[in-house]
Amino acid sequence: MKRRDFIKASTAAGVTGFVGAHSALAKKANEKFSGPGFDVHPFIKEHPEAVFIYKTSVDSKKDIDKIESAGLKLSKELIVKTDSAGYSNSTRITLKANFTCAGPKDGHAVFEKLGVNTDPNFVAGWVQGMRETGPQEYYLRECACPDAWDDMGWTAMAEKNGIDFRDLSSKHYYELEKGDLNFVKVPKGVV
């Protein structure tokens, strides 16, 4: 399965695990619906092999407003409103930012360490743009270094933007299945 197909299937299904292209969840997520919705921009759908690079005017990792604005602008360019194709606005969106354990160390400011992590301000802007397009429910699940999340700004960003943000590192994933996460078992594969 191509990376883009994986992202589309897992996001549309609103799950945080792998969703096979032929699973019941993926089929349900791709069914037509009636009413307003959203989808990926048609140009991107027509060029699944392409790699797109987004150049911003952000010249400092400290410029929170510009970073958030860049996320909002990109979201509004890539995610578009639809009438009957794509996904319903009631679709729950799972966010997957790039987390590493590169939290603040030895008195270095947070912004000095963000190069290897997705900037939480960019994610805040992205979510704001998507909310204007349609979908309202956002979930962020992660297990990389939860002790650094407050210092990196993730916890505050999630609270401010109404994103359901949870730590998956403290439980075995089969325990999580009993809660609000859905896992699809892939024949001859892994969970």
Side-chain angles (χ1 to χ4, degrees):
M1 176 178 271
K2 292 181 182 177
R3 181 175 184 260
R4 186 173 295 214
D5 294 335
F6 169 78
I7 292 169
K8 180 180 175 185
S10 63
T11 300
V15 299
T16 57
F18 178 81
V19 177
H22 300 293
S23 74
L25 286 174
K27 287 178 184 174
K28 182 175 183 187
N30 289 315
E31 288 176 2
K32 297 246 185 229
F33 62 93
S34 156
F38 70 99
D39 204 351
V40 176
H41 191 284
F43 183 80
I44 295 170
K45 287 180 88 166
E46 292 169 14
H47 298 89
E49 74 291 344
V51 174
F52 299 92
I53 298 172
Y54 182 58
K55 186 170 173 134
T56 72
S57 62
V58 177
D59 52 4
S60 170
K61 292 180 184 181
K62 296 180 189 179
D63 196 339
I64 292 170
D65 293 334
K66 269 192 174 177
I67 294 168
E68 194 171 292
S69 181
L72 186 140
K73 182 180 178 201
L74 182 62
S75 173
K76 292 185 76 94
E77 289 177 9
L78 300 183
I79 308 299
V80 297
K81 293 182 180 189
T82 63
D83 289 327
S84 61
Y87 304 95
S88 165
N89 285 337
S90 64
T91 301
R92 296 187 299 174
I93 306 298
T94 301
L95 305 169
K96 177 56 185 120
N98 184 43
F99 275 71
T100 67
C101 292
K105 288 184 181 178
D106 304 323
H108 291 281
V110 172
F111 66 85
E112 294 176 14
K113 303 295 282 182
L114 285 175
V116 295
N117 289 290
T118 303
D119 190 301
N121 301 298
F122 187 87
V123 173
W126 178 273
V127 168
Q128 291 165 19
M130 277 194 79
R131 278 203 171 116
E132 289 177 25
T133 302
Q136 299 299 305
E137 288 186 65
Y138 294 84
Y139 299 83
L140 181 58
R141 302 292 188 262
E142 188 55 63
C143 60
C145 297
D147 56 321
W149 295 353
D150 289 343
D151 292 336
M152 296 298 283
W154 283 102
T155 305
M157 183 281 300
E159 287 174 4
K160 178 182 173 187
N161 290 281
I163 298 170
D164 186 328
F165 184 30
R166 297 201 199 160
D167 175 10
L168 299 183
S169 63
S170 62
K171 295 181 179 178
H172 189 280
Y173 55 81
Y174 283 116
E175 290 178 39
L176 297 168
E177 186 175 21
K178 297 173 188 165
D180 63 347
L181 298 180
N182 300 310
F183 290 89
V184 176
K185 295 180 183 177
V186 180
K188 298 181 183 178
V190 296
V191 175

